[in-house]
Amino acid sequence: MAEIEKRPVKIVETVLRDAHQSLLATRMSTEQMLPIIDKMDKVGYHAVECWGGATFDSCLRFLKEDPWERLRKLRDGFKNTKLQMLFRGQNILGYNHYADDVVEYFVQKSISNGIDIIRIFDCLNDIRNLETAVKATNKEKGHAQIALCYTLGDAYTLDYWKDIARRIEDMGADSLCIKDMAGLLTPYAASELVQALKEGTSLPIDLHTHYTSGVASMTYLKAVEAGCEIIDCAMSPLALGTSQPATEVMVETFRGTPYDTGYDQSLLAEIADHFQPIREQALKSGLLNPKVLGVNIKTLQYQVPGGMLSNLVSQLKEAGQEDKYREVLEEIPRVRKDFGEPPLVTPSSQIVGTQAVMNVIMGERYKMVPKESKKIMLGEFGQTVKPFNPEVQKKIIGDETPITCRPADLIAPQLPQFEKECAQWKQQDEDVLSYALFPAVAKDFFEYRAAQQTKVDSSAADKDSKAYPV
């Protein structure tokens, strides 16, 4: 039997971002991270995902920390490891589209403060909403990884994935990520998908999934065998449940095979020991809810991400209509179809879920419509894979004309205005970006910083604004 060539699988460690975002409401502080960086830096990870996603908002809002200072401290500690962030395309790290000048400036500042790999995604897989961020990342000599939100539905055939992968490569992506935010990708489907993508593109493939439905580790195994080069894992104390498969388990799974990572288990054990007390403390304080640690097979049944399920329960509880839970679960796929079958990820998951709740509670479909549903139907988030249900669209937007261009083409430059509004608090260039994304939260943080009389370390702050506005 011919020997299979060695193809060590690469691991992106998510414990400093997605793992605590998924399990601990993004509440791990920089202080809890710094003591273990030296050991993490010796593992040989492909990258450590440590910034972006909800960490930015959480730093300012709950931890009273400057996210830019966190990034600089992490960069300072990780001497040999690439740092990665999650970036929501034209939404950056917020929930609305921003003008191109804000997107470009945010990319430039992220890279000059220490980010190497930017994972860029759009909640509708509308790749027009990724263009500006990809171009800016290429310009700054960063690694642009485009993430496709994996979902199920009539439109999402293997040909769809192959075609969009080809378009991503043409756009200038350096790698492709399958972003399975709801844990919907099953092992043999992963095998098929990776093989199809390999036919469509020469880009390295990174698979990101969540353990919510209980199949994630097996999915990684089949994906790697099919040619996937990179997998996202979390250190065991903050793995499983709605987080990722455990790093140590996947390292052991591939030991002695052509995919052997070569990572040292005793070093990983020391790193796990650092995060164990953080987990125990979170369990004790109620920050880590044991419910999110179990397997939720309803995820596969209704194709609804775990976080979205808990949102539905609380919305129904507030309305005193908890007995309508099953009705809402059955309404979600119908609303999703009316809305052009988008992937269910922030913010589309919240929009579809809330609309389904309203339809059931009101006893009439689309009698009450939140403004976000209207925005989707007006094309303000971009283009869905399938067309909207025309009757539902008419009911929601009336005679208004939906937009068909890239939504950001209609947004004038915003930086000068943000600079003006934020001038009184500004201690570093980056403050204007914190303000642009979360004006009220950033203002509270700036006032807190002034009251504490803490100053930004100007020797560490990035002064190099290159071609972008200062």
Side-chain angles (χ1 to χ4, degrees), residues 314-346:
S314 64
Q315 284 178 332
L316 287 169
K317 210 174 187 171
E318 254 173 62
Q321 308 237 4
E322 287 165 275
D323 57 325
K324 300 271 177 41
Y325 181 60
R326 183 162 290 279
E327 272 180 69
V328 171
L329 283 179
E330 285 161 5
E331 175 65 359
I332 284 170
R334 292 194 285 265
V335 173
R336 185 175 169 233
K337 232 182 178 60
D338 291 340
F339 282 28
E341 230 172 59
L344 295 177
V345 64
T346 303

Side-chain angles (χ1 to χ4, degrees), residues 93-335:
L93 305 176
Y95 303 101
N96 297 302
H97 282 218
Y98 292 90
D100 288 338
D101 62 342
V102 182
V103 175
E104 288 167 352
Y105 197 33
F106 202 100
V107 166
Q108 188 256 310
K109 283 297 183 189
S110 300
I111 290 172
S112 58
N113 277 289
I115 289 294
D116 300 290
I117 301 169
I118 301 188
R119 176 178 291 171
I120 307 159
F121 79 97
D122 175 67
C123 75
L124 302 181
N125 285 339
D126 182 346
I127 65 174
R128 300 173 306 171
N129 294 335
L130 309 173
E131 285 166 7
T132 301
V134 171
K135 275 186 196 143
T137 306
N138 290 340
K139 183 181 175 187
E140 295 303 320
K141 308 282 187 288
H143 177 111
Q145 180 182 86
I146 291 186
L148 296 175
C149 298
Y150 178 76
T151 191
L152 303 167
D154 303 341
Y156 300 96
T157 60
L158 288 177
D159 284 340
Y160 163 83
W161 296 117
K162 253 196 260 192
D163 174 58
I164 200 166
R166 225 172 268 133
R167 288 160 66 201
I168 276 166
E169 189 163 17
D170 293 345
M171 193 194 270
D174 297 300
S175 62
L176 182 160
C177 171
I178 304 162
K179 180 177 167 60
D180 177 25
M181 56 284 162
L184 298 176
L185 188 57
T186 54
Y188 288 96
S191 208
E192 274 185 2
L193 178 59
V194 169
Q195 283 164 356
L197 290 172
K198 286 283 171 197
E199 288 165 29
T201 171
S202 59
L203 295 175
I205 295 174
D206 184 336
L207 177 53
H208 172 92
T209 189
H210 290 251
Y211 209 86
T212 323
S213 60
V215 298
S217 299
M218 294 178 279
T219 297
Y220 277 170
L221 177 61
K222 297 306 287 179
V224 167
E225 288 175 352
C228 170
E229 289 92 344
I230 310 158
I231 54 176
D232 287 15
C233 302
M235 288 306 301
S236 56
L238 292 182
L240 310 185
T242 49
S243 176
Q244 279 73 50
T247 305
E248 306 95 305
V249 172
M250 297 317 300
V251 166
E252 206 51 44
T253 300
F254 294 118
R255 188 173 306 290
T257 73
Y259 317 111
D260 194 333
T261 61
Y263 295 176
D264 175 355
Q265 281 287 21
S266 56
L267 176 58
L268 292 174
E270 288 177 43
I271 296 167
D273 286 347
H274 171 79
F275 291 105
Q276 192 60 37
I278 295 173
R279 173 198 172 94
E280 280 159 20
Q281 181 52 42
L283 271 167
K284 221 177 281 175
S285 68
L287 190 59
L288 174 51
N289 183 339
K291 273 187 190 162
V292 301
L293 298 173
V295 166
N296 191 342
I297 203 65
K298 284 199 181 95
T299 298
L300 292 177
Q301 214 175 333
Y302 298 106
Q303 299 164 27
V304 172
M308 187 176 164
L309 282 172
S310 46
N311 270 357
L312 295 180
V313 173
S314 64
Q315 284 178 332
L316 287 169
K317 210 174 187 171
E318 254 173 62
Q321 308 237 4
E322 287 165 275
D323 57 325
K324 300 271 177 41
Y325 181 60
R326 183 162 290 279
E327 272 180 69
V328 171
L329 283 179
E330 285 161 5
E331 175 65 359
I332 284 170
R334 292 194 285 265
V335 173

Side-chain angles (χ1 to χ4, degrees), residues 60 380 432:
L60 294 167
E380 286 184 29
V432 72

